[in-house]
Amino acid sequence: MHANIVVLPGDGIGPEIVSATLPVLEAVAARYGHTFAFQEHDIGGIAIDRHGEPLPAATLAAAQKADAVLLGAVGGPKWSDPNAKVRPEQGLLAIRKGLGLFANLRPVRPHPAALGASPIKSELLAGVDIVVVRELTGGIYFGDKTRSATDATDLCRYSVAEIERVVRSAATLARQRRGHLTSVDKANVLETSRLWRDVTARVMREEFPEVTIEHQLVDSMAMHLLSKPRAYDVIVTENMFGDILTDEASMLAGSLGLLASASLGAGKVGIYEPIHGSAPDIAGKGIANPYATILSAAMLLRHSLGLEAEAAAIEAAVSAALDAKVFTADLAAPGQAANTAQAAQAVIARLG
Ligand code: NAD
């Protein structure tokens, strides 16, 4: 197949991890007879510097025409003045909105070779394979806000349609995996959560009878995620709960440098990016871990291009590189670290 992929390196280590990932995609294309055309555009801090805005119109227009978007990371000290009119992160929110993306998928599958890097006991981590699906466009982050000298409010709002579409995405994923969906809410206190629970129960009963559904309160979920992470398959939740639980879940995997993500909507186009930020403390040194971005590229092949075998080949190659202890500095013993390019080459060398 031929696919047009928009590439948004962004800031800090973004350009390093993205340029390490493109040769992996090229190698997969060559092996499986595909052609991928990469078109690079600016987002984040670099876009503010060059164009005065974090999401230039040309970037959004290219993304809207593309089959998929691969993103590095945005932000850094240069643009982090809290009083600044434009901030790099606004570019991320704007591009997700512009592409109509409402579901953020974060797989967490701790690798046996990296279990020691997690603060959680290894015996709890073996066999963990979770995908957290976070709703991206609604809830308290986007509700009306007020502020006076003596108080402040944030409105939390969800519509039936917003809940239905993200639950359908998560349930479809659960059906392709182990057939178990956990929906997380705070239905004992919040009206939006009671609506969330009612809508989820109905969608699951009417449309996904073969997927088992379990409802969990967010506070107990925060405990279960660490005490019995193997019990979960797909977890779906609203925006703020998802923001917190996905960061908690990331601790299961040992390093931020191993965790990929996808932001999806109703169509095929999605944004694929590592969950970590622009790591300004190590930017420009060529030592960042590229695996999370390479695994994000695998998700791109799976979810936007429908290339399951190719996605699985990349995942297996990353796994084999980790088995061979090709670790970047975030995971390696002192003096034994591979650099970014060496880690990416190790993946290419192991593509089946
Ligand atoms: P960060 O994820 O950039 O870094 C946290 C720590 O993890 C740092 O010590 C960093 O060196 C390390 N790290 C992160 N990715 C790594 C990798 N691939 N390999 C090796 N080590 C890695 O988080 P931060 O320091 O809180 O934020 C830095 C900047 O990134 C901020 O401007 C923040 O706003 C931005 N940010 C962007 C995104 C995004 O683009 N989606 C997400 C989070 C933070």
Side-chain angles (χ1 to χ4, degrees):
M1 78 177 300
H2 176 78
N4 292 310
I5 299 173
V6 160
V7 176
L8 308 177
D11 308 315
I13 59 169
E16 299 164 48
I17 51 179
V18 163
S19 60
T21 298
L22 297 186
V24 179
L25 282 171
E26 300 270 23
V28 167
R31 204 141 309 179
Y32 288 83
H34 307 302
T35 52
F36 299 149
F38 301 115
Q39 205 186 81
E40 197 173 307
H41 285 274
D42 294 330
I43 194 168
I46 191 161
I48 294 175
D49 288 353
R50 288 185 180 161
H51 314 276
E53 50 187 347
L55 181 67
T59 301
L60 179 59
Q64 284 166 332
K65 276 189 250 141
D67 295 302
V69 177
L70 182 70
L71 193 142
V74 300
K78 181 174 176 195
W79 308 279
S80 62
D81 173 3
N83 297 318
K85 277 211 174 64
V86 281
R87 293 174 55 88
E89 294 76 9
Q90 291 166 347
L92 284 183
L93 292 180
I95 193 168
R96 286 177 187 153
K97 187 158 188 262
L99 295 178
L101 308 181
F102 56 78
N104 183 244
L105 274 58
R106 285 196 189 181
V108 180
R109 194 168 26 187
H111 190 277
L115 292 188
S118 169
I120 315 295
K121 286 188 195 125
S122 297
E123 62 263 32
L124 293 176
L125 296 174
V128 168
D129 183 358
I130 300 172
V131 181
V132 185
V133 180
R134 166 189 170 192
E135 202 287 329
L136 267 187
T137 64
I140 199 162
Y141 292 177
F142 292 97
D144 291 343
K145 294 166 195 319
T146 68
R147 174 81 179 262
S148 74
T150 52
D151 67 7
T153 66
D154 296 282
L155 180 71
C156 184
R157 184 192 159 279
Y158 265 106
S159 72
V160 169
E162 282 171 331
I163 301 167
E164 283 174 342
R165 64 186 187 177
V166 73
V167 169
R168 285 190 186 111
S169 295
T172 303
L173 190 64
R175 188 161 59 190
Q176 293 156 3
R177 290 167 45 95
R178 301 195 300 281
H180 186 61
L181 181 66
T182 305
S183 171
V184 178
D185 59 40
K186 186 74 182 168
N188 53 343
V189 178
L190 299 176
E191 203 53 49
T192 40
S193 279
R194 285 191 271 274
L195 179 70
W196 182 280
R197 195 175 280 215
D198 289 348
V199 171
T200 302
R202 172 177 54 74
V203 169
M204 297 309 292
R205 193 173 55 243
E206 291 176 356
E207 300 175 35
F208 299 90
E210 69 282 40
V211 177
T212 56
I213 173 78
E214 171 195 0
H215 301 278
Q216 275 285 349
L217 295 174
V218 64
D219 39 354
S220 53
M221 189 67 210
M223 288 191 311
H224 294 325
L225 203 49
L226 300 185
S227 62
K228 50 167 191 169
R230 254 193 308 273
Y232 300 99
D233 178 9
V234 179
I235 297 169
V236 64
T237 191
E238 60 97 75
N239 203 344
M240 182 168 72
F241 298 159
D243 192 8
I244 298 165
L245 290 179
T246 48
D247 267 27
E248 187 189 359
S250 73
M251 294 313 291
L252 301 169
S255 170
L256 281 176
L258 295 175
L259 288 160
S261 81
S263 298
L264 307 176
K268 281 279 169 204
V269 67
I271 299 181
Y272 301 85
E273 57 183 314
I275 75 155
H276 59 72
S278 60
D281 51 336
I282 57 166
K285 297 183 179 163
I287 60 168
N289 185 339
Y291 292 147
T293 315
I294 293 172
L295 292 169
S296 302
M299 293 185 84
L300 179 158
L301 297 180
R302 173 174 295 122
H303 294 287
S304 280
L305 307 186
L307 300 176
E308 175 58 38
E310 291 82 339
I314 292 183
E315 288 163 352
V318 171
S319 191
L322 287 166
D323 284 337
K325 302 222 171 337
V326 183
F327 293 153
T328 41
D330 51 318
L331 289 169
Q336 297 185 8
N339 63 30
T340 307
Q342 287 164 336
Q345 275 310 317
V347 173
I348 293 172
R350 289 168 177 80
L351 280 171

